[in-house]
Amino acid sequence: MTDLVLRSRRVVLPDGERPATVHVRDGRIAAVTDYGDEGTDVPALLPGMVDTHVHVNEPGRTEWEGFATATRAAAAGGVTTIIDMPLNSIPATVSVEALTVKRTAAEAARPPVDVGFWGGAVPGNAPDLPALHEAGVFGFKCFLIDSGVPEFPPLDRSELDRALSTVDALFIVHAEDPAEVVEPGTTRRFTDFVASRPVEAETRAVATAIEAARRHGARVHILHLSAAAALPLIAAAQRDGLRVTAETCPHYLTLDAADVPDGATEYKCCPPIRDAANREALWRGLSAGTISCVVSDHSPCTPDLKVGDFSTAWGGIASVQLGLPLVWTAARERAFPLSDVVRWLATAPADLVGLTHKGRIAVGADADLVAFDPDGSFEVDPARLHHRHPVTPYAGARLSGTVRSTWVRGVPAAPGTGRLITRETLR
């Protein structure tokens, strides 16, 4: 007996897309058979997306976002697993005690999707990293530039070296070099803001992270790559056998700095959205495999922090609900198949953090599934977004692909269907 049977002429499997029937038993995929078997038909069946870059902000800044709202938005967007970033919450997740506080908050929210946690590497907490890793965080985030919040200061090069030499873990790096960043001054022009954080800020910091990985044999992941000029550095490191990977985000793949209106601070993020030529080079980096993951960098705040000018507005875009249709819309325009989108948004992020039983439709994997209509379309209505504050640069955009249903371990996503997960594979 199976708990759930779904079939589609477009099932995205590890070996490509084909007609199939997926059988679920006890929360896992029990069998994948021919399409002719009986089951509930869906337009396309995908594994649940895995978003490894989400700022939930609870506790401490729950007025910005919280576990209940962030995970509800995730489920609505076909995301069945999120990994929460260690900063913007208070306390930041830089110790076992802080992790306990955050896990308590997440559990109380009864999330509909699975939730894991990153730890943070900040000046002075290197001695805390082994215990925090043992407690189950998926790795450690660090900044090479001011993070924007005082409780999560950046690492200098010596502190980065110390962190990498303290624990054999995945380090995820916000790579911008402060020496290349200038204050934009009071300005409503997006071009001024972009100029204040030039591509050189990213390339220099990426080089710093790569050389640290080389010195220590460490595993380093470059976060939210915006500057395509850094791609040759990353590709060379990968050819040299270094454990270096990279991600980018939907906003860098879909938006063009030239289209951002004056004063439209909802487009502000760090590093910034760049021009169309840079965007297309990022797509080539994805196609080549230099960039492996596409994740949201969901970073909301209260609406009052998004007003004003580009020098003072909070830098972050909230898009955990929209990542799948955003990337599918742009990928289809460039003739990429749906299987590529699944690899970038589900399989590769799951593999990055060692969740090899997620992000794929395969026997034995968790039955985290998404019924997706690739030919459907919708207009982004902020009022229909589930994150806490409906501020978005995508308001009014027409996107392809609609999420029909989301299942977590074979059960429709609803409050309480998610679990708190740790670096140890959840079985």
Side-chain angles (χ1 to χ4, degrees), residues 259-301:
D259 296 332
V260 178
D262 288 350
T265 52
E266 63 269 25
Y267 289 84
K268 181 181 176 180
C269 57
C270 300
I273 296 157
R274 304 191 189 277
D275 62 27
N278 181 86
R279 179 189 65 201
E280 298 310 310
L282 290 175
W283 279 102
R284 292 192 292 274
L286 266 177
S287 181
T290 309
I291 302 170
S292 57
C293 305
V294 181
V295 293
S296 68
D297 190 9
H298 179 77
S299 186
C301 65

Side-chain angles (χ1 to χ4, degrees), residues 124-205:
N125 86 322
D128 297 302
L129 300 185
L132 194 50
H133 200 234
E134 185 66 24
V137 297
F138 285 88
F140 298 98
K141 180 174 188 177
C142 63
F143 277 73
L144 303 185
I145 193 171
D146 180 69
S147 72
V149 292
E151 63 274 1
F152 205 94
L155 301 181
D156 62 24
R157 294 189 185 197
S158 64
E159 291 161 341
L160 178 62
D161 278 333
R162 185 178 183 194
L164 293 180
S165 64
T166 298
V167 59
D168 183 14
L170 173 60
F171 281 81
I172 59 174
V173 181
H174 181 124
E176 289 183 281
D177 191 317
E180 297 290 340
V181 172
V182 297
E183 287 298 324
T186 301
T187 180
R188 290 175 52 81
R189 298 199 317 164
F190 189 65
T191 52
D192 294 338
F193 172 64
V194 175
S196 75
R197 301 181 92 102
V199 294
E200 291 80 10
E202 283 192 80
T203 56
R204 282 191 56 172

Side-chain angles (χ1 to χ4, degrees), residues 60-412:
R61 291 191 175 94
T62 312
E63 70 276 12
W64 292 18
E65 183 69 287
F67 283 104
T69 48
T71 55
R72 186 164 64 242
V79 177
T80 53
T81 302
I82 67 166
I83 311 296
D84 172 62
M85 284 291 165
L87 71 155
N88 299 347
S89 58
I90 301 173
T93 315
V94 296
S95 67
V96 173
E97 293 76 17
L99 175 64
T100 300
V101 171
K102 180 164 282 194
R103 287 177 60 87
T104 299
E107 190 168 34
R110 302 185 68 239
V113 304
D114 286 356
V115 179
F117 306 92
W118 294 107
V122 296
N125 86 322
D128 297 302
L129 300 185
L132 194 50
H133 200 234
E134 185 66 24
V137 297
F138 285 88
F140 298 98
K141 180 174 188 177
C142 63
F143 277 73
L144 303 185
I145 193 171
D146 180 69
S147 72
V149 292
E151 63 274 1
F152 205 94
L155 301 181
D156 62 24
R157 294 189 185 197
S158 64
E159 291 161 341
L160 178 62
D161 278 333
R162 185 178 183 194
L164 293 180
S165 64
T166 298
V167 59
D168 183 14
L170 173 60
F171 281 81
I172 59 174
V173 181
H174 181 124
E176 289 183 281
D177 191 317
E180 297 290 340
V181 172
V182 297
E183 287 298 324
T186 301
T187 180
R188 290 175 52 81
R189 298 199 317 164
F190 189 65
T191 52
D192 294 338
F193 172 64
V194 175
S196 75
R197 301 181 92 102
V199 294
E200 291 80 10
E202 283 192 80
T203 56
R204 282 191 56 172
V206 167
T208 295
I210 289 171
E211 289 312 307
R214 190 185 303 276
R215 284 194 298 275
H216 299 283
R219 190 174 172 217
V220 168
H221 180 72
I222 305 300
L223 295 170
H224 46 50
L225 185 69
S226 157
L231 287 170
L233 299 174
I234 298 167
Q238 292 168 347
R239 288 194 300 271
D240 289 346
L242 301 186
R243 296 190 293 167
V244 174
T245 52
E247 69 184 37
T248 192
C249 304
H251 36 279
Y252 302 128
L253 295 171
T254 63
L255 301 175
D256 177 355
D259 296 332
V260 178
D262 288 350
T265 52
E266 63 269 25
Y267 289 84
K268 181 181 176 180
C269 57
C270 300
I273 296 157
R274 304 191 189 277
D275 62 27
N278 181 86
R279 179 189 65 201
E280 298 310 310
L282 290 175
W283 279 102
R284 292 192 292 274
L286 266 177
S287 181
T290 309
I291 302 170
S292 57
C293 305
V294 181
V295 293
S296 68
D297 190 9
H298 179 77
S299 186
C301 65
T302 54
D304 61 294
L305 295 178
K306 270 298 204 184
V307 299
D309 61 71
F310 283 106
S311 66
T312 57
W314 176 258
I317 292 175
S319 63
V320 69
Q321 186 173 335
L322 297 174
L324 175 55
L326 281 166
V327 176
W328 171 236
T329 300
R332 187 161 71 167
E333 291 171 353
R334 293 162 176 81
F336 289 103
L338 189 55
S339 57
D340 281 347
V341 173
V342 167
R343 184 174 73 255
W344 299 329
L345 274 74
T347 313
D351 289 349
L352 175 74
V353 294
L355 294 174
T356 54
H357 59 295
K358 291 185 178 292
R360 69 212 73 216
I361 297 177
V363 173
D366 285 354
D368 299 343
L369 300 167
V370 177
F372 185 65
D373 182 359
D375 298 318
S377 66
F378 68 102
E379 183 177 294
V380 177
D381 176 0
R384 296 178 66 85
L385 298 175
H386 293 286
H387 60 264
R388 188 175 296 279
H389 301 290
V391 177
T392 175
Y394 304 111
R398 171 64 58 175
L399 301 181
S400 297
T402 56
V403 173
R404 296 281 190 87
S405 300
T406 303
W407 293 268
V408 176
R409 282 178 294 279
V411 177

Side-chain angles (χ1 to χ4, degrees), residues 13-14 22-23 28-33 360-366 427:
L13 300 167
V22 176
H23 304 254
R28 297 190 193 164
I29 296 169
V32 179
T33 61
R360 69 212 73 216
I361 297 177
V363 173
D366 285 354
R427 301 306 296 166

